[in-house]
Structures are given as structure tokens and as C-alpha cells.
Amino acid sequence: MSKILFTSESVSEGHPDKICDQVSDAVLDAVLADDPTSRVACECFASTGLIVVGGEITTNTYIDLPQLVRKVIREIGYTKAEYRFDSESCAVINVINRQSPDIAMGVDTGGAGDQGMMFGYAIDETPELMPAALMYSHLLMQKIADIRKNNLDLMPYLRPDAKAQVTIEYNEDSSVSRVNTIVISTQHDPDVQQDTIIEDVKKHVIGSVIPAHLIDSDTIFHINPTGKFEIGGPHGDTGLTGRKIIVDTYGGKAPHGGGAFSGKDPTKVDRSAAYATRHLAKNIVASGIARECTIQVSYAIGVKNPVSLLVNTHNTGKIADSHIADYIQNTIDMTPQGIIERLQLRRPIYRASAAYGHFGRNIFPWEENSLVKHFQNI
């Protein structure tokens, strides 16, 4: 019988794309802190010695953009010239403009900031109600970052860039059986042996993150499989805001509408409706009326109410999917303004979401189980 395998990946906060996501969301947070009604669509590009920040921002406040960008880069850990990208010497170029009045005309009346479809998802295979392959990938990256920032004596050669990939093997009933393969690539100083990195990653990272019962003698490990990862960050590859949308969401286990999150204020339904549908899906699974749930919602630019809403509990639901969908449409405000008010999204809460996933961490309002009783009482 063939194995049932599924793989997801995560990347560290020092990955060039994630640097850009964090800069974009740091700009958003800084603007919202002083002017919660700001309209922001902030994009970022990173390369060797260079950060370009652009997009459209309409606000009544002012931020010192170069200082803010350098602060983000410094906090990520790019503080040494030998990385060939560092917070003090990189150039910061500002090409920000105001939001188009054609878009503002529809948003000002409470309509959606764009057309499109968004998806929310939850599954009961982890305590976070997230897909296991993605959740473990995120946790591996968070552990490496924690060691690099707070316990560097354990692995003193670590640099900011890193990637992880986890392959989960499933039983025939779709329950998690074991971890089939773990791939970790972590940037490092030049004076460290490959055997040392492999030993340390297995002991200090994998051993403290992956439950022991999921790893066995057949689990495959690929740790820095090229044998060398000294050149990383924006010197090794360019970075762009919004280029890690599958890492940001469900690791490919659920559909994605295509819109990125970082740098966008909550009038952009690409972001706010994706958060709202995750909130719904998670509460449906947490309520016990389904083990797995995918929700799709779609909008038209300038129109308040969703064009469509679909609930799919993948044959795990105790209540008909159509009944759950009717309940949501009749009782929960899914207009952009309703989502913003319910989740209190006009706050500077976004930079933390720009690395290690937008979902699965209880620091965000869309992860709260505030609707469980609603769904239990359907």
C-alpha cells in the first residue's frame, strides 16, 4: 500500500521575502498607531545593500521611513557588514504615493477595497487547529530564531536566513501517523563543520519541537543538504513583499485566493476577509460540529456584502454545510466594516503576523474562540 504523504514549508524572519513582509507591516503598524483610518498598500523589495519601499499610503501622520526600516532589519538580526546586508549601511529608497481616488471612492462608502476570493481553513490534527506539516515547519523556524536571539551559546554560528520543510505521513483515516521527512537549511558562519550543524539541529531544534512519538528510525533528515549555506538573506536572493503566501496561510493544505496580506490595511479584503474566514473555520472546528472546515468568501470592489459564501466540512460535519453557511450569512456581519469592528483590525497588530504564519498563534484576534457557542447552538 502506498504511503499518504503531505509536505509544507516555512521560512525564517531573516529570509529575504520575510524581511520585506515585516518591513511592509511595520510601516502599516506605524501609520495605524497614529491614524487608524489610514489606507495602506505598502510593498517592499530587498537586494544586496538595498531596500525599496513603495506602494500607496493615504494618512494624516508621518513616519521616519529610513529609521523604521533600519529598526526592523536590526531586530531581525542583520547587524554585521559580513552578511553583506545590514541595518546601518543598506540604502533605503522611498517611492510611496497616495491611494488612487478611484479605489477610495468605493471604500469610503464601506465597500470592499477590491474584488477577489478568500479562504479560511481549520483542521483538528494539531492543538492550534492547523495542518501539522505547516505547524511543525513554523515551530522549527521559531525555535532556530529563539536560539539565535536568546540562547546563541547553543549554536553560535547561526545567521538570520533559514528554511524548513516537513512531510507528514497519514493513516488511511486521515489521522497523522508519523513524520516522514524533515528538511532544514540554516545560514551559518564559515568556520563551522557540517557534522556540527547536523548534530545541533537534531538535538536543539528538532528534538525540542517535533513530538518524539512522531519520529522513528525511518524518519529522513536533510539538514543543510547542499553542505554549505553561508551566503543568505538579500545578498543571496532578492526579496519581495507577498511572495510567501502559502507559508503565510495553510501550507498548501487549503486553497488560496491569491492575494497577499502584508502591508495592507484592513479595508483590503485580501487580508481582513482571509482573517475573518479563518476565524469562522477555526470556531466551527473548535465547537466540535466538524473536524475540518474550509470557507470561501468573495467580494466585488466597492460592494459591502459578499458576492458568495461557501462552507465545506469535508464530510466531517455533524450539520449540513448549507445550514452552517445560511447561519453565517444570517447572523454574522461579513461586510468589510463588520469584519474590521468584530476583530478590531484598525490597530498596530500586524508586524507579528509577517513571519511564522498569520494563523495558528493565539496572539491574534482572528484566532480567538469567540464564536464557539454560536456554532454549538445552531
Side-chain angles (χ1 to χ4, degrees):
M1 183 176 62
S2 61
K3 298 176 181 178
I4 304 171
L5 304 176
F6 189 84
T7 302
S8 295
E9 71 160 347
S10 182
V11 298
S12 73
E13 63 199 71
H15 185 282
D17 293 331
K18 280 289 139 199
I19 294 172
C20 293
D21 286 340
Q22 290 167 93
V23 167
S24 294
D25 272 339
V27 171
L28 173 64
D29 280 355
V31 170
L32 290 179
D34 285 339
D35 181 6
T37 63
S38 298
R39 302 280 169 74
V40 181
C42 180
E43 311 288 343
C44 182
F45 167 84
S47 188
T48 301
L50 174 68
I51 289 275
V52 180
V53 183
E56 297 79 44
I57 298 178
T58 300
T59 184
N60 292 318
T61 191
Y62 166 81
I63 58 172
D64 185 334
L65 187 68
Q67 181 180 7
L68 177 63
V69 171
R70 296 185 194 285
K71 179 175 183 289
V72 172
I73 297 169
R74 189 180 308 117
E75 290 174 352
I76 291 170
Y78 285 100
T79 57
K80 298 180 181 179
E82 64 196 79
Y83 298 161
R84 303 184 191 181
F85 178 86
D86 72 274
S87 59
E88 307 312 308
S89 67
C90 73
V92 179
I93 299 176
N94 181 349
V95 287
I96 293 173
N97 294 299
R98 295 179 65 84
Q99 184 185 57
S100 162
D102 292 347
I103 297 174
M105 184 169 58
V107 178
D108 289 344
T109 59
D114 202 353
Q115 70 176 44
M117 65 281 193
M118 302 84 208
F119 291 89
Y121 180 75
I123 188 168
D124 67 356
E125 61 188 36
T126 63
E128 298 86 359
L129 304 185
M130 287 287 288
L134 179 66
M135 204 66 229
Y136 291 136
S137 296
H138 283 326
L139 291 171
L140 290 169
M141 289 291 88
Q142 287 177 283
K143 185 61 180 180
I144 282 184
D146 178 65
I147 292 172
R148 179 172 59 83
K149 291 182 173 184
N150 302 314
N151 205 358
L152 191 58
D153 288 345
L154 290 180
M155 300 172 71
Y157 47 81
L158 289 177
R159 291 183 174 184
D161 199 354
K163 302 179 80 170
Q165 182 174 285
V166 175
T167 300
I168 296 292
E169 184 174 325
Y170 288 87
N171 298 311
E172 287 189 359
D173 64 355
S174 298
S175 61
V176 173
S177 172
R178 56 186 290 275
V179 172
N180 179 278
T181 304
I182 296 175
V183 183
I184 295 182
S185 295
T186 183
Q187 188 187 13
H188 58 83
D189 289 341
D191 56 349
V192 59
Q193 297 297 313
Q194 171 78 344
D195 289 346
T196 300
I197 297 174
I198 292 173
E199 181 181 349
D200 287 348
V201 167
K202 285 184 176 180
K203 178 180 179 181
H204 300 304
V205 181
I206 296 172
S208 64
V209 168
I210 307 297
H213 71 277
L214 294 180
I215 295 180
D216 56 35
S217 59
D218 293 325
T219 298
I220 301 166
F221 300 94
H222 296 297
I223 298 172
N224 281 20
T226 68
K228 185 178 181 181
F229 186 10
E230 294 176 21
I231 298 173
H235 183 66
D237 192 8
T238 57
L240 287 171
T241 298
R243 200 159 57 178
K244 286 290 178 285
I245 59 175
I246 300 303
V247 172
D248 285 342
T249 52
Y250 305 105
K253 194 72 183 289
H256 195 295
F261 300 158
S262 290
K264 296 178 180 178
D265 76 80
T267 66
K268 279 76 171 173
V269 283
D270 275 342
R271 183 168 214 163
S272 55
Y275 292 167
T277 50
R278 161 63 179 174
H279 187 223
L280 294 173
K282 184 182 182 186
N283 277 262
I284 286 169
V285 174
S287 74
I289 65 172
R291 291 184 51 246
E292 182 178 10
C293 182
T294 301
I295 295 180
Q296 185 205 52
V297 67
S298 67
Y299 293 85
I301 188 168
V303 178
K304 293 182 181 180
N305 290 306
V307 172
S308 66
L309 187 143
L310 173 72
V311 175
N312 181 3
T313 57
H314 306 273
N315 298 315
T316 69
K318 299 177 181 178
I319 299 170
D321 293 349
S322 59
H323 188 42
I324 299 172
D326 288 342
Y327 178 83
I328 293 171
Q329 290 176 315
N330 292 330
T331 62
I332 297 175
D333 188 348
M334 289 295 288
T335 65
Q337 188 59 37
I339 292 169
I340 289 169
E341 291 176 358
R342 181 167 61 256
L343 299 178
Q344 298 181 304
L345 296 180
R346 293 194 185 276
R347 298 179 287 157
I349 58 173
Y350 296 103
R351 185 187 159 190
S353 71
Y356 312 117
H358 291 247
F359 308 123
R361 291 181 287 159
N362 289 330
I363 59 176
F364 304 122
W366 50 89
E367 293 295 313
E368 295 174 1
N369 289 334
S370 53
L371 298 177
V372 164
K373 290 184 179 180
H374 288 260
F375 292 116
Q376 288 176 333
N377 293 328
I378 294 180

